[in-house]
Amino acid sequence: MDDQIERVMVITAHPDDSEFGAGGTIARMVKEGREVSYVIATRGDKGSGDRTMTPERLAVIRAEEQHNAARALGVAHVEFLGYPDGELEDTRQLRLDVTREIRRRRPDLVITMNPHRTYNLYASHRDHRTIAGVALDCVYPSARDHMAFPELMPDFEPHKVREIYLMQWEDPHVVVDITDVMDLKLKALTCHVSQVGDFTGVEARVRERNAELGRAKGYAYAECFDRIVMPR
Ligand SMILES: [Zn+2]
């Protein structure tokens, strides 16, 4: 990876999205000395099969689990935007919030989800598509242009992101070898206790998935992305 990438921002919809989609890549980047921060759009407050659970209680649990997972990977900052799970819409307020976070942390690389509907219904959850589209719209043009969201000035100066990675599982541009950090990815995933339940089944699925993504390159485990390099 480009040595000029010093700061990385991972923008996702729910607590646990970063670890499932990019936990190994994040662990690698932290080991390489890059500063990684998270922006998570929703509270993840609907993902429970427990009929006695309430969205308010679940939001608190999921925030704590996310902080633990981020700590396991060495992520420096975690910001929750506080939107309700499952109802994320591409609004001016969401674009303003994401633009503000990009301008605050000034990442060289933004990692986000996949903006396309695919037949993998879990991976292409509506909130995932929405946050990915919004993240792209905020990298360009709103984070870059000083007249976009004038209320952010002068506290949040414009910022140019250099590159974007989009989580991609079909014909990806970039295959990241995560073999050496697979243990860290799994450790971070175990922090999402309310989501993973019995971890044995989850671990088997994650290993199988990441092994499949690495097969073409001969890596034991990999995560895959499409890459956009912004013109300077
Ligand atoms: Zn999700």
Side-chain angles (χ1 to χ4, degrees), residues 60-76:
V60 173
I61 292 168
R62 297 211 63 188
E64 191 188 330
E65 291 171 352
Q66 181 60 87
H67 280 291
N68 293 340
R71 206 171 301 124
L73 295 175
V75 171

Side-chain angles (χ1 to χ4, degrees), residues 12-17 62 85 113 122-123 125 127-128:
T12 60
H14 311 115
D16 80 15
D17 288 338
R62 297 211 63 188
D85 189 356
M113 307 193 78
Y122 292 101
H125 184 295
D127 290 347
H128 297 180

